[in-house]
């Protein structure tokens, strides 16, 4: 058994979750405060990876990140960095593919808050950004936590986009989900079963943690 795919999956999920948290806050800020008239369009754009087949998303990302694509060319020219079939490319693809799992819970929670929170902050002279960071977000900590956990878990289980962007390069792009596919192709069902069981248990534990936290929040325990 090669355990490196699991460590690579954990590394990818951790980096993706941290970067998505930093990216999502400004995005949520724009949608919530400035996108009132076109909010359905913006939310649909953010949620597109949820309904778009991974192969379709992977295909367009491949066109974007390949060496003769505009982002691939910029990366090569400015940073001497190859994006296709590299860990860096996986991070970019994972950020796009997991974006809804971070943005949607936070945005939904903000929309469910009473307007009095925002109006009271404006009365005290706080800017929109200060209102978001210091007033609104502290009241939706549960949604932030759930968004982060779901993003992490979803990234662990990615397959289609990862395969198209990264392929199966050992210690570079061969994450756990790709390792299962490779073992099945080689008829190594015992190894594939070990990989699959570990991912199954991990996903189940994550869901238990999320629903337990939500249950305790509902009961007012935490």
């Amino acid at each position: 058994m090669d355990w490196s795919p699991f460590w690579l999956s954990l590394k990818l999920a951790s980096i993706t979750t941290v970067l998505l948290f930093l990216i999502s806050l400004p995005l949520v800020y724009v949608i919530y405060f400035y996108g009132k008239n076109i909010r359905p369009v913006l939310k649909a754009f953010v949620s597109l990876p949820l309904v778009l087949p991974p192969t379709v998303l992977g295909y367009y990302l491949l066109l974007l990140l390949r060496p003769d694509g505009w982002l691939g060319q910029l990366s090569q020219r400015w940073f001497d960095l190859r994006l296709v079939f590299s860990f860096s490319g996986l991070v970019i693809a994972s950020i796009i593919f997991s974006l809804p799992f971070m943005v949607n819970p936070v945005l939904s929670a903000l929309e469910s808050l009473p307007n009095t929170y925002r109006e009271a902050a404006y009365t005290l002279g706080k800017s929109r950004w200060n209102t978001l960071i210091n007033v609104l977000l502290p009241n939706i900590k549960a949604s932030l936590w759930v968004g982060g956990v779901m993003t992490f878990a979803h990234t662990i289980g990615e397959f289609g986009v990862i395969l198209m962007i990264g392929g199966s390069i050992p210690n570079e792009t061969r994450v756990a989900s790709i390792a299962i596919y490779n073992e099945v192709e080689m008829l190594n069902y015992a190894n594939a079963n070990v990989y699959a069981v570990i991912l199954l248990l991990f996903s189940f534990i994550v869901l238990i943690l999320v629903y337990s936290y939500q249950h305790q929040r509902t009961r007012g325990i935490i």
Side-chain angles (χ1 to χ4, degrees):
M1 284 291 298
D2 179 14
W3 297 102
S4 62
F6 286 108
W7 298 115
L8 192 61
S9 292
L10 292 174
K11 177 182 176 182
L12 177 63
S14 300
I15 294 175
T16 299
T17 301
V18 171
L19 292 179
L20 259 182
F21 181 80
L22 299 176
I23 294 171
S24 295
L25 288 184
L27 184 57
V28 166
Y29 171 77
V30 171
I31 295 175
Y32 182 72
F33 286 104
Y34 296 100
K36 183 177 181 180
N37 295 328
I38 58 171
R39 188 174 296 175
V41 176
L42 296 176
K43 293 172 70 173
F45 182 77
V46 169
S47 301
L48 197 57
L50 291 175
V51 297
L52 200 62
T55 50
V56 175
L57 181 60
Y59 169 72
Y60 285 113
L61 285 175
L62 188 61
L63 294 180
L64 181 67
L65 302 180
R66 65 182 182 178
D68 55 346
W70 72 267
L71 189 56
Q73 289 181 342
L74 291 179
S75 175
Q76 289 274 17
R77 185 180 308 162
W78 292 354
F79 306 106
D80 193 25
L81 184 64
R82 178 174 57 89
L83 296 181
V84 176
F85 303 114
S86 70
F87 184 78
S88 300
L90 293 191
V91 172
I92 295 175
S94 298
I95 287 174
I96 296 174
F97 195 51
S98 297
L99 182 65
F101 291 87
M102 181 67 78
V103 172
N104 286 346
V106 176
L107 191 57
S108 298
L110 287 176
E111 292 175 339
S112 66
L113 287 177
N115 291 331
T116 51
Y117 286 93
R118 189 172 67 251
E119 294 169 354
Y122 292 162
T123 302
L124 295 174
K126 293 186 177 292
S127 65
R128 291 179 173 179
W129 181 254
N130 284 331
T131 298
L132 176 67
I133 299 299
N134 298 317
V135 178
L136 301 181
L137 291 185
N139 286 281
I140 59 166
K141 289 184 292 185
S143 297
L144 290 170
W145 187 84
V146 169
V149 172
M150 294 302 292
T151 297
F152 187 90
H154 181 256
T155 304
I156 289 287
E158 287 182 32
F159 174 74
V161 172
I162 296 295
L163 182 62
M164 295 193 69
I165 298 299
S168 180
I169 304 174
N171 299 315
E172 180 73 19
T173 63
R174 185 183 294 170
V175 296
S177 58
I178 301 298
I180 295 175
Y181 177 77
N182 290 342
E183 297 294 343
V184 171
E185 274 195 323
M186 294 184 293
L187 303 181
N188 294 331
Y189 295 114
N191 287 350
N193 186 61
V194 173
Y195 286 131
V197 167
I198 292 176
L199 288 183
L200 174 64
L201 292 176
F202 173 81
S203 301
F204 186 62
I205 291 173
V206 166
L207 289 176
I208 289 177
L209 292 174
V210 169
Y211 288 127
S212 297
Y213 184 80
Q214 289 179 330
H215 180 66
Q216 291 178 343
R217 290 279 299 183
T218 302
R219 296 177 58 189
I221 297 177
I222 57 176

